[in-house]
Amino acid sequence: QKEVEQDPGPLSVPEGAIVSLNCTYSNSAFQYFMWYRQYSRKGPELLMYTYSSGNKEDGRFTAQVDKSSKYISLFIRDSQPSDSATYLCAMRLKNDYKLSFGAGTTVTVRA
Amino acid sequence: EPEVTQTPSHQVTQMGQEVILRCVPISNHLYFYWYRQILGQKVEFLVSFYNNEISEKSEIFDDQFSVERPDGSNFTLKIRSTKLEDSAMYFCASSEGIYQETQYFGPGTRLLVL
């Protein structure tokens, strides 16, 4: 079983739709969870960071963590064409340096 | 807004040659990282660096790789004798602290080994 699993998509939605992305993980020791956005041939850009189960909202973005199910989600409301990118989930153990990434989900928002 | 910068943006080299990838982390950050992303694959951790020492490294980071902070601003990744399979995007990242601190990534260096 892979440490972090993420459906690579691609996912295509009309402008204004809600985008729903998720990752599952196998290591229950992961403590910190992040979502990064990566535009083509660019570096990952941090979108959301959370370390507890529950929801965290920032503008149009909501990150959800369910540690009991080992499942994290990212929701993008009122999606825009500029949200078209690859979204990477990443997570880290409590006393560790490295981030473990999912494969990334490619999202296209159609105008 | 402060950002991590990397040079060069693209590098083409012949197999067996040495390459040095350069990064300037965010100025008040103390922890530095290298990751790589082979085309179509996951971003993979290579190494972390703090206080002029490697703090953690992955299995990928073998004797062909080394890192250095030669001065107060630069952080470099050296690949001693490149192989075809080293072709990838290499990302530098930095964080202010550890554990709860998030890592900020540079734009990457695309390395092509011929």
Side-chain angles (χ1 to χ4, degrees):
Chain A
Q1 187 180 10
K2 290 181 185 175
E3 197 170 46
V4 182
E5 301 225 35
Q6 182 177 9
D7 186 342
L11 190 62
S12 179
V13 299
E15 185 174 356
I18 295 175
V19 176
S20 172
L21 305 167
N22 56 73
C23 288
T24 58
Y25 58 96
S26 57
N27 190 346
S28 57
F30 280 129
Q31 291 285 317
Y32 304 108
F33 304 92
M34 288 133 274
W35 285 95
Y36 284 85
R37 178 174 61 196
Q38 187 178 25
Y39 291 114
S40 181
R41 297 179 181 264
K42 300 290 185 188
E45 171 196 6
L46 182 69
L47 278 179
M48 300 287 283
Y49 170 85
T50 184
Y51 54 86
S52 58
S53 280
N55 291 354
K56 181 178 180 180
E57 201 170 303
D58 184 1
R60 297 185 295 112
F61 299 92
T62 299
Q64 195 173 73
V65 174
D66 183 345
K67 288 186 178 180
S68 62
S69 301
K70 291 184 277 189
Y71 186 93
I72 67 171
S73 299
L74 178 72
F75 300 97
I76 308 172
R77 288 183 299 283
D78 187 25
S79 57
Q80 305 294 310
S82 58
D83 295 326
S84 298
T86 297
Y87 290 82
L88 308 168
C89 64
M91 44 199 80
R92 186 158 61 79
L93 301 173
K94 184 177 181 181
N95 296 318
D96 199 2
Y97 297 89
K98 71 174 189 183
L99 296 179
S100 296
F101 282 87
T105 301
T106 300
V107 174
T108 301
V109 180
R110 308 185 306 271
Chain B
E1 185 177 324
E3 58 184 17
V4 176
T5 59
Q6 289 184 244
T7 54
S9 57
H10 294 79
Q11 174 117 27
V12 181
T13 190
Q14 295 292 324
M15 191 170 57
Q17 295 296 303
E18 174 184 286
V19 295
I20 297 176
L21 310 183
R22 291 183 167 78
C23 168
V24 178
I26 295 173
S27 62
N28 64 331
H29 286 189
L30 300 177
Y31 295 82
F32 314 115
Y33 314 86
W34 284 101
Y35 290 80
R36 79 171 185 191
Q37 187 176 30
I38 294 171
L39 191 63
Q41 296 187 23
K42 288 185 181 185
V43 176
E44 301 173 289
F45 171 80
L46 292 177
V47 66
S48 59
F49 190 85
Y50 168 70
N51 199 26
N52 283 318
E53 285 185 348
I54 290 174
S55 41
E56 187 177 356
K57 61 182 181 178
S58 71
E59 291 174 354
I60 304 166
F61 194 88
D62 60 22
D63 292 342
Q64 294 298 316
F65 292 89
S66 62
V67 289
E68 193 179 30
R69 188 152 162 83
D71 53 44
S73 58
N74 289 284
F75 178 52
T76 62
L77 174 70
K78 182 193 289 187
I79 309 174
R80 242 178 294 280
S81 178
T82 50
K83 307 184 192 72
L84 296 176
E85 55 265 35
D86 293 328
S87 296
M89 192 76 154
Y90 287 81
F91 294 110
C92 174
S94 69
S95 64
E96 188 172 354
I98 190 60
Y99 307 145
Q100 290 181 300
E101 296 295 334
T102 55
Q103 297 176 20
Y104 295 89
F105 284 74
T109 293
R110 183 166 296 280
L111 176 66
L112 179 60
V113 182
L114 301 176

